[in-house]
Every structure is written in C-alpha cells, then in structure tokens.
Amino acid sequence: MSEFYIFGNQKPASAPTMTPEAIAFLQARDSSTSVASASTFTSTFTSTSTDTELLASSKSLSRTNKSISIGPITVSTHPLWTSTIKHIHPSLIIISSAGMGRDVSVSSPLPPGTLLLSESALITYTNGDGDGDGDNVNVLDFSAISEFFGVGSNSSNSSVRNKYKKSTASILASLAALSPLHPRSLSDLPLRSRSSRIKELKSLYQPQIDAIVAAAPAACEVTELLLLRLWFVISLNGYDSGLGLTSAMFNHSDRPNAVRYFEKGHCEVYATRRVERGEGVRIGYLNPREQSLERRRDYFNSQHYFDLNGSENGSENENENENETEAIFDRIGEGGDAEAVKNVEKTVEELENELSELSQVFALLRATPEAETEAETEAETEAEAGDSDSLSSIRKLTIRAGDLSTASQILVEKASERLANPLHFLVARSLRLNCDSCDLFIRVAEFEATTKEYIASNKHDEKQIKLDTEYRTECLGKFLKSACELLEIIKSDDYLGEHHPDVGRVYKDVATATSTLLAQNKLEILSNAVDHQIPKAAFSFDKAARFEGECCKKFREVEALYKH
C-alpha cells in the first residue's frame, strides 16, 4: 500500500505563552502529585519554559540529580534527559512516580498533526530502525546490555574485553538517566513473573553477565542485580528499534491518539486526534495493531506484567475508563463462531509471512537484473531441450503472488462470515493483507510483462496478453474494494480516526486505484468495488470522478497535518 513520508518533516512550533487556565491546571496537577515521599523519584517534566531555559537549568545543576521548580513546574534536571530532547511540546506533561505509574497528558487542547516530541534515543539496538508503532523487545537478548556497556553485541565470557569502550563518566550518566524508569528495583515487578524471567536470563546469559561485572570499573558499582534490572528497564520501556527516555513514558491504547516514529536513532511522536486538556496521550505498542483480545492480553501480561484492565477497553492506564464501544472490535457477532478468532488469526499470520517472503524475493529480483537474466536464459535453454515444466524465477513469483491474492480474498470473506462482525480487528487485518497481496501481484505481473521472456513467449499471442492485462485489472478492482472497506473501519473515531497517517495512506490508495480504473474506462469493475460508497443504481462516471477527487482531498488534508 502507499506511503507518504512523515518523519522529520514538521518543524517544532515556537513555545506559546501559557494561559492562566493552563497554569492553574498545572498547579493543581503538580500539587496532586506532591504527596509522594521525598525518597520517591517524582517529576513532572514539561517544556512550559523555553528549551533554552530548560537546558540552562540543567547545566546549572549538572552535578546533581535533584529536581527544581520553574513556576508551577517540577523539572527533572538530569542532563541526559534534556540533551536527548530536540523538542517537547510546551503543553506536554510527563509524570513518573513509584506507586503512580507513568502517564503523559497535555495542559491545553492540541489538534491532530501536532509534533509532541522529538528526541534522540539513549539506547539503540543492532536489529535496526523501525517506523510507526511496534514494541517487540520481548525477544530482546542480552546483547543490548553488552552494547550499553560498550563490550560488543556478541560477547562471551572468554571474548569480552577487559575494559569498557565507554568511559566511566558516560556509563554513570546513562545509568543515572535510566534510574527513573520502571522498574526502579526488581521488587517492583510481580514476584512470579520476575523469578521465571530472571531464571531464564541467567541460564542463557550468565557468561555475559559475569564478564560485564568483572570488567566494570569500580566506580560504576556494576552488579548482577543491576544488570538484570537494566535488562528489564530496556525490555519494558524500549521499542524494537531503541529506547528514548521520554517516549518510554507514553502508555498504550487500542484506540491511540498519537503515533510514534523511529528512524536512525531518533524518535518523533505526533498527535493523530484532537487531545483535550488533561487527556492521556496514548500510542499503540503492537505491530501489527490488529490482534485478538486474547493475544493482546497474553502479550501485555508476559511483556509488561499487567492486564488490560481485565476488560476490553485496551488501555494500559488502570485508572482510565474508555468508552464501551471500543469493545466492538473484539466482539463475535450474532451467529458467529468463537473458535474462528484463533483460526483466522493463525491463517492471517501464515499469509503475512508468505507476503513478506514474496516481497523480499521480488525486491531481490528487481535489485539484481543479472539474476533475472540468468534465470531467463536457463528457462529458455531448458525449454529448447523439451523441458516444458521449467519456469523462470519471475514466472514462479507471479504465480505465487496470484495465489496469495486469491487466498487473502477468500480469507476476507471467511473472516467476515465466521466472525459475523465487519468491524472486527481481524477483519480489518485481513482486508489490509488482501490490499497488500493484490498490490504485490499487480507489481510483479507488470514487471514480468516487461521481461524479455514474457515478450518473446507472447510475441504472437495477443489474446494471452489481453487476458493477463484484464486479470491485473480485476485484481486492481479487488484491491480497491478491500481498501474501501478497510477505510470505513479505520477512519472511525472508535478506531484510528480521520486524521491518522494510516487513514491518509488508504485514502491515497483508494484515489489512485479509482483514477486508474476511470482512465481505463473499467466502469463495471469500479462500480462493484465502490458499491458501498456509490450505490450501483446511482453509479456514473461523474460520481466516480467526484469520489476520486474527494479521496485525493482527504489524503492531502491528512498529509498536510504532518508536513509543515
């Protein structure tokens, strides 16, 4: 499906003057958290002052790790917190306190598209960068800890260096900066969960743990318990692409109002809906987003050690009561089959894996034309020798991509039927899979049509060329139909809302496919694809053209929110 580039396109707005109402709100919020014990770390970290003032304040207290007050605001003054932040919106309030948990809210209403945070990661992982949402560090091994101390990602007891590559001061500063993050001690974790996980870690990585402890400078006071706690900090607060000190504070919701992007060690968070004063700012931790309620609960119980309220609202914040309507995306409709949830989810995952594999093969073929040429020559040689079963790599890929698009289309139909709820999370995920599968097939088939093998084999067979072209057009119609149905689901206020980047991308997909079918004058295919948007009895070329224009306009509106 289509993309539009968001990351790094928005320049932070200048800090606005705080209204008396906003200041009163902050004062009330600050006083409500002041009851915490003096021995408990508490910070309301916000950039209500200018970035220059914050940096100046942090520099003046760089030798301490205390907090100071600027007006009504209590500011964490550890230099790494301020030095990693490139921009934090003046209305953003972040609270971290033992016994309270972490939360992010705003002191004044913010529109969708607002850049909330731009910061550099304190820790990045060797598995690369990521974009959008995704929190897969439950598979994190101990290499991240080795890298944190500068002893290499593949260290063993015999190969680890005798001294750290990082300076003692650098290590101490990083450890101090991580100290506010959960868990502040291993006892903060549920006993059963931490015991089983610690046992697993020690059985797998004891040599690395021992080597790091042995090589540590005395001033760092590195112990086995500190390393284990550090592993939990990274695992619980990081994402699959790295750990940002401030972005770690954003909680999860199945109905997020913000989105997080990570690229080349840098993180940005944008509002995707209007965020009201005092409302929690939520991102989605899951990738893919659409997972069954059982799968989501299993994930958060095993990875973050909490239940999603024991309910269906999908919020990490235990004090937050979201609208009951969100549960509709998990419900099995009347006459549906409860067992279908597991079956559909398993099938979706299998087909997604197939899609990923075929996409990688196609990218490889396009990146290495010589491989394709060798495959064509081999196929021609075998054909001349009478081996009629031989097929080139691109032909095999086209067949597999076509089979995948057909299988994903059947899955959409079966998921809708057996779940008996067209708004179910897994129906939306199946629709997205079908869009991506059809898109891949069209691109592969069009690429194949330009190869020498295809041109030579169909040189005198115009009928076959016409049939192949018509099949690609039919597949484009299926793509458009699934994209329209997906759009209706995800633009709902109970899902992502009209202004989420993913909604903008689907608007673009719908507009592009509609425009292509209009240009080819394939009105019957187009009519079947957009029958929910334009009833067949009222369908006309002009109405389809207006529909395409409306989708283009919606896409440009969403795109403009994130590109200034």
Side-chain angles (χ1 to χ4, degrees), residues 293-304 307:
L293 179 61
E294 180 181 358
R295 184 72 65 84
R296 300 199 307 275
R297 281 180 172 168
D298 286 345
Y299 168 78
F300 281 104
N301 273 316
S302 62
Q303 170 65 15
H304 294 283
D307 182 66

Side-chain angles (χ1 to χ4, degrees), residues 121-431:
L122 181 65
I123 302 173
T124 55
Y125 311 139
T126 54
N127 60 335
D129 294 330
D131 61 346
D133 303 324
D135 182 8
N136 300 321
V137 292
N138 55 314
V139 296
L140 184 72
D141 62 22
F142 221 78
S143 62
I145 311 303
S146 299
E147 292 172 13
F148 178 85
F149 287 99
V151 296
S153 60
N154 298 312
S155 300
S156 65
N157 195 22
S158 59
S159 63
V160 72
R161 302 185 181 188
N162 291 326
K163 61 181 181 179
Y164 292 158
K165 291 187 291 183
K166 293 184 178 180
S167 68
T168 299
S170 174
I171 295 171
L172 287 172
S174 297
L175 288 174
L178 289 172
S179 63
L181 299 184
H182 177 75
R184 299 205 66 213
S185 70
L186 293 178
S187 60
D188 291 341
L189 300 170
L191 177 60
R192 180 178 299 179
S193 299
R194 79 166 182 264
S195 297
S196 59
R197 187 62 63 89
I198 288 174
K199 183 178 180 180
E200 178 186 10
L201 288 173
K202 288 171 66 65
S203 66
L204 292 172
Y205 305 115
Q206 191 64 56
Q208 287 93 322
I209 294 172
D210 294 340
I212 295 172
V213 171
C220 292
E221 299 181 354
V222 175
T223 64
E224 181 177 285
L225 288 179
L226 182 145
L227 296 182
L228 292 172
R229 182 251 169 189
L230 185 59
W231 186 93
F232 280 103
V233 167
I234 296 175
S235 177
L236 296 178
N237 296 282
Y239 298 84
D240 53 7
S241 43
L243 186 152
L245 291 171
T246 311
S247 61
M249 299 295 182
F250 289 91
N251 285 330
H252 166 85
S253 176
D254 291 335
R255 185 179 175 270
N257 55 14
V259 65
R260 170 191 175 278
Y261 289 89
F262 198 105
E263 183 176 298
K264 296 179 180 178
H266 191 80
C267 170
E268 291 181 352
V269 180
Y270 295 86
T272 59
R273 308 175 190 260
R274 177 178 170 84
V275 185
E276 299 296 343
R277 181 171 68 91
E279 181 183 356
V281 181
R282 304 284 182 265
I283 61 176
Y285 285 2
L286 300 174
N287 187 18
R289 177 185 304 111
E290 302 89 356
Q291 299 185 32
S292 65
L293 179 61
E294 180 181 358
R295 184 72 65 84
R296 300 199 307 275
R297 281 180 172 168
D298 286 345
Y299 168 78
F300 281 104
N301 273 316
S302 62
Q303 170 65 15
H304 294 283
Y305 310 118
F306 72 85
D307 182 66
L308 296 179
N309 285 350
S311 66
E312 299 182 359
N313 66 18
S315 172
E316 181 181 352
N317 190 332
E318 295 181 359
N319 297 320
E320 181 176 306
N321 295 314
E322 295 189 345
N323 195 295
E324 181 72 12
T325 56
E326 185 173 1
I328 192 173
F329 296 106
D330 287 309
R331 292 175 187 160
I332 305 299
E334 185 176 354
D337 179 6
E339 288 297 317
V341 173
K342 292 182 179 180
N343 294 334
V344 169
E345 192 160 34
K346 180 180 178 182
T347 304
V348 168
E349 289 173 346
E350 291 173 351
L351 295 182
E352 285 173 342
N353 290 335
E354 175 76 358
L355 175 65
S356 177
E357 179 185 341
L358 296 184
S359 299
Q360 292 176 22
V361 172
F362 183 48
L364 182 62
L365 281 175
R366 296 194 67 178
T368 54
E370 63 276 5
E372 178 200 341
T373 302
E374 292 175 4
E376 290 178 351
T377 303
E378 182 181 348
E380 291 172 1
T381 303
E382 292 177 350
E384 291 173 358
D387 186 358
S388 59
D389 293 332
S390 63
L391 296 172
S392 69
S393 299
I394 188 62
R395 178 92 284 264
K396 292 177 182 177
L397 183 61
T398 304
I399 293 172
R400 288 181 65 186
D403 290 343
L404 177 61
S405 67
T406 301
S408 62
Q409 179 66 40
I410 295 172
L411 176 63
V412 169
E413 296 168 359
K414 293 296 184 182
S416 300
E417 174 188 339
R418 297 191 62 190
L419 296 173
N421 177 8
L423 300 179
H424 197 283
F425 268 147
L426 294 179
V427 172
R429 187 170 167 186
S430 300
L431 287 167

